[in-house]
Amino acid sequence: MDELDSALVQLLQRDARQTNRELARQLGIAPSTCLERVRSLERRGVIRGYHAEIDTAALNRGVQAFVAVQIRPLSRTVIDSFTEFVAGLPQVVSAFVVAGGDDFLIHVAVQDLDHLHAFLVDRLSRRREIISYRSSVIYQQAHNTVLAALDEP
Amino acid sequence: MDELDSALVQLLQRDARQTNRELARQLGIAPSTCLERVRSLERRGVIRGYHAEIDTAALNRGVQAFVAVQIRPLSRTVIDSFTEFVAGLPQVVSAFVVAGGDDFLIHVAVQDLDHLHAFLVDRLSRRREIISYRSSVIYQQAHNTVLAALDEP
DNA sequence: GCCTCCCACCGAACTTCGTTCGGAAACGAG
DNA sequence: CTCGTTTCCGAACGAAGTTCGGTGGGAGGC
């Protein structure tokens, strides 16, 4: 993970469909060398994949929200089964097991407020392990598409 | 946005570096047609970009957390300037303006707990518009890499 | 200091792919 | 049915991905 790798990771975060030759040109190295570097990053698991970013409106998801959930008991069995349940729902973008007052934080994207309500009432609240939940509609969001490596501690 | 477009969007969410020929093969159409479809999706803004997914550990970010922040006054000026400030911090993955008890929800990724604490105390708390904040360390996370279009309402 | 080994890099050759374009086919409106 | 429009296909060509033998430079041993 030298300086060349960092630069490569940064370029591929910005645009994953650049040609290998274009990447090589920007780094000032030969295409064959560049390809070998990328392959190495993939093999080592540094690069986990390449994904297209899709406009949520095009996917018919006009409303997004976070749902903070408390579940009991907080055993591994219950956490794992609830995680699996949540991850399988098409409305769910991502889910987090967190410390603090809440146990789960779930990012959902649905058609509209009616569907958000239906999701909460018809899907989530059916789960017996939930003892409370509270949702926050998202007004705006900002995403950092390119993350750099932080300095050593 | 017909069935072919949906399938294309799904394939490119899963793997954005597939060759155009491979995409065409999976959809049962000619490469030239497939390319025209992809270009159209890009032109219409359905596809916003292609990004490499990087292992957070490789970026030296062992700890992630959500920080819920309350700010005052809740005017556009203050919200915008705080958003800009937050989005510029290298520790921040994403930031959300939300309804409900909190005003901002900030997803951060840092080296370790010491750096999380330093981030909260040295960076965030300097902002005068913050009247309170509370952080939740992330234990586990699940990501839905491929989102499908939801049914019409 | 010198020799050797090893690893990263390069450039050429070959395969595969992206891209363009003319024409065919499908579709809808009148 | 006919016309016009849109979508699709297949061939052709330039560009890119991929492989591989060779080269240089740095590390370690003598």
Side-chain angles (χ1 to χ4, degrees):
Chain A
M1 206 50 193
D2 59 6
E3 196 182 322
L4 221 54
D5 283 340
S6 290
L8 211 39
V9 160
Q10 217 154 322
L11 288 174
L12 286 172
Q13 275 184 288
R14 201 180 310 278
D15 179 9
R17 287 212 70 142
Q18 289 176 87
T19 63
N20 183 52
R21 288 181 123 87
E22 177 61 18
L23 287 172
R25 197 192 56 76
Q26 291 180 59
L27 296 179
I29 59 177
S32 53
T33 306
C34 189
L35 186 66
E36 175 54 34
R37 288 283 192 148
V38 174
R39 291 276 186 275
S40 168
L41 288 169
E42 292 170 351
R43 236 181 300 113
R44 285 183 285 155
V46 175
I47 297 177
R48 299 173 89 98
Y50 306 94
H51 308 287
E53 179 191 355
I54 308 298
D55 180 28
T56 51
L59 296 177
N60 197 26
R61 296 162 184 265
V63 169
Q64 290 181 258
F66 276 101
V67 186
V69 180
Q70 286 186 302
I71 65 173
R72 288 296 124 84
L74 274 178
S75 64
R76 178 171 293 278
T77 317
V78 172
I79 291 175
D80 284 354
S81 90
F82 188 70
T83 300
E84 192 181 358
F85 163 70
V86 164
L89 297 171
Q91 294 91 348
V92 171
V93 178
S94 52
F96 303 86
V97 183
V98 294
D102 303 310
D103 305 317
F104 271 81
L105 208 52
I106 307 172
H107 181 184
V108 300
V110 294
Q111 292 96 318
D112 48 39
L113 284 179
D114 283 347
H115 281 83
L116 176 60
H117 190 226
F119 170 78
L120 295 171
V121 173
D122 297 334
R123 301 282 162 190
L124 261 198
S125 70
R126 293 198 180 231
R127 299 290 293 197
R128 303 273 305 284
E129 61 266 54
I130 296 182
I131 61 169
S132 84
Y133 68 83
R134 138 183 79 83
S135 59
S136 303
V137 171
I138 297 173
Y139 288 141
Q140 295 176 23
Q141 56 182 309
H143 231 69
N144 224 339
T145 48
V146 180
L147 290 183
L150 295 179
D151 297 334
E152 291 296 322
Chain B
M1 208 47 195
D2 59 4
E3 196 183 322
L4 221 53
D5 282 340
S6 289
L8 210 39
V9 160
Q10 218 153 321
L11 288 174
L12 286 172
Q13 275 184 287
R14 201 180 310 278
D15 179 7
R17 285 211 74 141
Q18 290 176 85
T19 65
N20 183 54
R21 288 179 125 87
E22 177 61 18
L23 286 173
R25 198 191 56 75
Q26 291 179 59
L27 297 179
I29 59 178
S32 53
T33 305
C34 189
L35 186 66
E36 174 54 35
R37 289 284 193 146
V38 173
R39 290 278 186 272
S40 169
L41 288 169
E42 291 170 352
R43 237 182 301 113
R44 286 183 283 155
V46 175
I47 297 177
R48 299 173 88 97
Y50 306 94
H51 308 288
E53 180 192 354
I54 308 298
D55 180 28
T56 50
L59 295 177
N60 198 27
R61 295 162 185 266
V63 169
Q64 291 181 256
F66 276 100
V67 186
V69 179
Q70 288 184 303
I71 65 173
R72 288 296 124 82
L74 274 177
S75 63
R76 178 171 294 277
T77 317
V78 173
I79 291 174
D80 285 354
S81 90
F82 188 70
T83 301
E84 193 181 355
F85 163 71
V86 163
L89 297 171
Q91 295 91 349
V92 170
V93 178
S94 52
F96 302 86
V97 183
V98 294
D102 303 309
D103 304 318
F104 271 82
L105 208 52
I106 307 172
H107 181 184
V108 300
V110 294
Q111 293 95 320
D112 49 38
L113 285 178
D114 283 346
H115 282 83
L116 176 59
H117 191 226
F119 170 77
L120 296 170
V121 174
D122 297 333
R123 301 282 162 190
L124 262 198
S125 70
R126 292 198 180 234
R127 300 290 293 195
R128 303 275 303 284
E129 62 266 53
I130 296 180
I131 61 170
S132 85
Y133 68 83
R134 138 182 80 82
S135 59
S136 303
V137 171
I138 297 173
Y139 289 140
Q140 294 177 24
Q141 58 182 307
H143 231 69
N144 222 340
T145 49
V146 180
L147 290 184
L150 296 179
D151 297 333
E152 291 298 322

